[in-house]
Amino acid sequence: MAVLEPIKVVITNYEEEVRSSESMMFEVQNSPTDVSLGSHGVEMTDVIYLDASDFRLVDDTSYYGLAPNKAVGLRYHGGKLFCEEVVTTTNSDCSTTIVELRCRL
């Protein structure tokens, strides 16, 4: 997996989720179409990265990615990621840049 334009996502209730689940380790196939290529483990941490193309500040009914106050499914985790807060910074040209998303599972 590659994230070309990363946005930092802090999972605010990560510690609570770790206590309530057996593991935050997930088995992922090396190829989504060919099981014979094996699999590997991926551990979820309290910080993950989301590609900027998978997030919008303004939600739309035809948009299925993450947006403020919206829940989306997390692949392999089986749960939902809910965006509670967007942290931005103002640049010298008065444009804003998304620095971090604060989300919960």
Side-chain angles (χ1 to χ4, degrees):
M1 290 187 254
V3 178
L4 302 177
E5 292 181 59
I7 298 176
K8 182 180 181 179
V9 178
V10 177
I11 300 172
T12 57
N13 67 333
Y14 180 79
E15 293 301 322
E16 179 184 319
E17 286 292 317
V18 169
R19 283 192 300 271
S20 67
S21 71
E22 291 181 21
S23 172
M24 293 303 266
M25 190 74 148
F26 306 98
E27 198 66 26
V28 178
Q29 287 184 349
N30 291 332
S31 168
T33 57
D34 188 352
V35 180
S36 69
L37 293 176
S39 63
H40 63 280
V42 175
E43 183 176 5
M44 182 183 284
T45 62
D46 62 334
V47 175
I48 60 175
Y49 289 87
L50 178 77
D51 195 78
S53 65
D54 293 324
F55 180 77
R56 287 188 187 172
L57 278 172
V58 179
D59 196 14
D60 182 291
T61 55
S62 64
Y63 179 66
Y64 296 99
L66 190 61
N69 300 312
K70 181 179 180 180
V72 295
L74 267 182
R75 190 170 204 168
Y76 307 113
H77 176 264
K80 301 274 186 180
L81 184 69
F82 183 82
C83 182
E84 297 179 312
E85 181 183 356
V86 179
V87 179
T88 60
T89 187
T90 303
N91 302 318
S92 58
D93 63 355
C94 296
S95 64
T96 58
T97 301
I98 299 169
V99 176
E100 180 178 294
L101 303 176
R102 295 191 161 272
C103 304
R104 65 180 163 81
L105 294 174

